[in-house]
Amino acid sequence: ALPIYGTAALAFTFRLPVPLLHMMSGGQKRARRSGSRAGGEEVRSTLEATLEAVLQSRKNANGIFDILEYLEAENEEELLSAVRTCNRLFGTLLERRELFVGPLPEEEDETLAASCSAEDKYKMWMRHRYNSCVNCLTDLMGHNSFQVQELALCTLMKFVQLEGKYPLVKANLEEHYHFSRERLKLVVEGLLPLDRDSALLISRFQEYLDYVDVRYYVMSVINENVARVMQKAKEAVLPVYQQNVFFLISSISMASDEKDMVNYFVKRAKRDEWKVTKLKEHRRVFERMWLGFLKHKLHLSLYKKVLVIFHDSILPHMRSEEH
């Protein structure tokens, strides 16, 4: 039997999650829907109606599964409509603070019913649906259609920004509370596939690198990504992956003066003690990122590309007197 939770303000049956919408490991692709159950316009209207119903009343919350199912569509227009719908849906839920804040219990936790209020159960359930959506969008950054890739990327970055404003972790002394580093980490992973040239998508991402905080955390995440991937590859040359990394890190333009670091993706009232605002910290992660990349064996053509930009674009931003 499906669990039923209800109060005067909340009364609906939680549908068990569709296995296909669970997190997939290792970039594993989901099986796409093998047919279109309606034309593009009809699907768009259906999604619009479902979205309005879900946002209007919690009793319609299970309609989210119908929306998420279209993230499996083979038809590109249906897929784009589904991503746009998810953008609006979860953007609204984040703004309304209807997603659970704090460590998220496993959905199969049988002690949940006894220990949580109906309100918390609803928010936990919705947060799991949000996570499923994010996982689907991350996969869609590897879709055959660039339009789909681009829309998935932009939607994920919108979520990064909203999670900075409406954090899903409780306030603490950690500065990452103000920036969804883990969400950005998924975006960077989507930009750095092992076996597909992602230069076009990285070019689209470059506008986000104009933001001081995005730039800082991207450099930090890239360093971790390279270390993990190269360790797993046992230091073998990975031409496509390393070319993607080079294209991304060479797209990062460093500020020459701290006074120029004024454009932030996630707004924060007090920045004085936030190390993301310090040029010294940016140089530190910039240097670590480049050294972490260059310490691994590269294809000869990539070494040549690095040499072309090294003296003008890399070396001036390395720490010198700060060592």
Side-chain angles (χ1 to χ4, degrees):
L2 300 182
I4 299 177
Y5 308 113
T7 66
L10 168 62
F12 72 99
T13 302
F14 292 115
R15 191 191 305 176
L16 291 177
V18 179
L20 286 176
L21 293 174
H22 278 178
M23 184 182 297
M24 308 288 282
S25 62
Q28 183 180 356
K29 301 298 180 186
R30 299 173 174 85
R32 308 273 178 202
R33 287 165 55 99
S34 59
S36 169
R37 65 185 179 191
E41 285 297 328
E42 187 174 343
V43 168
R44 196 174 299 114
S45 298
T46 298
L47 287 169
E48 179 72 23
T50 305
L51 171 66
E52 295 304 321
V54 170
L55 294 178
Q56 185 176 25
S57 174
R58 289 185 177 184
K59 70 181 181 181
N60 300 319
N62 281 323
I64 286 181
F65 286 109
D66 298 323
I67 295 172
L68 293 178
E69 187 180 359
Y70 275 102
L71 293 178
E72 306 292 328
E74 288 187 341
N75 181 282
E76 184 176 329
E77 287 305 314
E78 293 181 12
L79 196 49
L80 290 169
S81 294
V83 176
R84 293 187 188 102
T85 302
C86 287
N87 185 318
R88 291 177 56 196
L89 170 63
F90 290 108
T92 301
L93 292 176
L94 279 162
E95 290 172 348
R96 289 182 180 178
R97 301 179 184 271
E98 292 193 18
L99 301 182
F100 183 75
V101 175
L104 185 63
E106 294 292 330
E107 201 158 21
E108 297 79 11
D109 189 348
E110 295 180 358
T111 64
L112 196 62
S115 59
C116 297
S117 67
E119 179 74 8
D120 279 346
K121 291 168 194 169
Y122 167 80
K123 290 185 175 182
M124 288 176 187
W125 184 88
M126 196 61 79
R127 175 95 173 267
H128 280 291
R129 306 288 74 75
Y130 175 60
N131 288 348
S132 293
C133 173
V134 166
N135 292 330
C136 286
L137 292 174
T138 304
D139 281 353
L140 290 176
M141 286 180 65
H143 194 271
N144 292 332
S145 163
F146 177 70
Q147 275 189 295
V148 173
Q149 293 178 22
E150 180 182 31
L151 189 58
L153 167 66
C154 293
T155 300
L156 286 168
M157 289 306 294
K158 176 184 175 180
F159 292 163
V160 169
Q161 189 171 45
L162 286 173
E163 285 187 41
K165 190 174 183 180
Y166 309 102
L168 294 179
V169 295
K170 293 181 179 178
N172 54 42
L173 298 177
E174 292 292 328
E175 66 178 52
H176 298 327
Y177 161 70
H178 296 277
F179 194 97
S180 183
R181 187 179 184 278
E182 291 306 306
R183 197 70 65 220
L184 183 67
K185 185 176 179 180
L186 293 177
V187 172
V188 171
E189 288 175 357
L191 292 172
L192 301 176
L194 299 181
D195 55 0
R196 187 187 73 257
D197 183 343
S198 61
L200 189 58
L201 192 59
I202 291 172
S203 295
R204 180 63 181 84
F205 181 71
Q206 284 177 6
E207 70 175 67
Y208 296 105
L209 293 174
D210 290 338
Y211 295 99
V212 174
D213 44 356
V214 173
R215 194 160 62 237
Y216 176 86
Y217 286 112
V218 164
M219 290 190 291
S220 173
V221 168
I222 289 172
N223 188 46
E224 295 174 5
N225 185 281
V226 170
R228 184 180 68 255
V229 170
M230 297 311 296
Q231 181 181 30
K232 188 174 180 180
K234 297 181 179 179
E235 299 302 321
V237 174
L238 300 174
V240 177
Y241 168 75
Q242 290 172 313
Q243 175 61 45
N244 287 331
V245 174
F246 173 76
F247 193 71
L248 179 55
I249 64 180
S250 62
S251 299
I252 296 173
S253 298
M254 290 285 287
S256 56
D257 194 305
E258 204 165 282
K259 291 184 295 185
D260 298 328
M261 297 167 58
V262 295
N263 193 20
Y264 290 83
F265 194 56
V266 173
K267 307 307 177 187
R268 175 171 173 159
K270 297 180 180 180
R271 297 200 193 109
D272 293 344
E273 301 305 318
W274 196 22
K275 66 182 181 182
V276 174
T277 65
K278 310 300 181 185
L279 181 57
K280 179 174 70 173
E281 293 296 330
H282 279 252
R283 286 180 173 169
R284 181 180 63 81
V285 293
F286 179 85
E287 179 180 281
R288 184 178 297 176
M289 174 187 70
W290 272 105
L291 294 179
F293 175 65
L294 293 173
K295 76 177 184 179
H296 302 290
K297 185 177 180 181
L298 306 174
H299 191 277
L300 179 60
S301 62
L302 206 48
Y303 280 120
K304 292 178 179 178
K305 291 179 180 180
V306 171
L307 287 173
V308 169
I309 67 171
F310 187 77
H311 287 284
D312 292 331
S313 302
I314 301 175
L315 192 58
H317 303 292
M318 294 286 195
R319 298 178 300 172
S320 52
E321 71 281 354
E322 298 168 13
H323 283 295

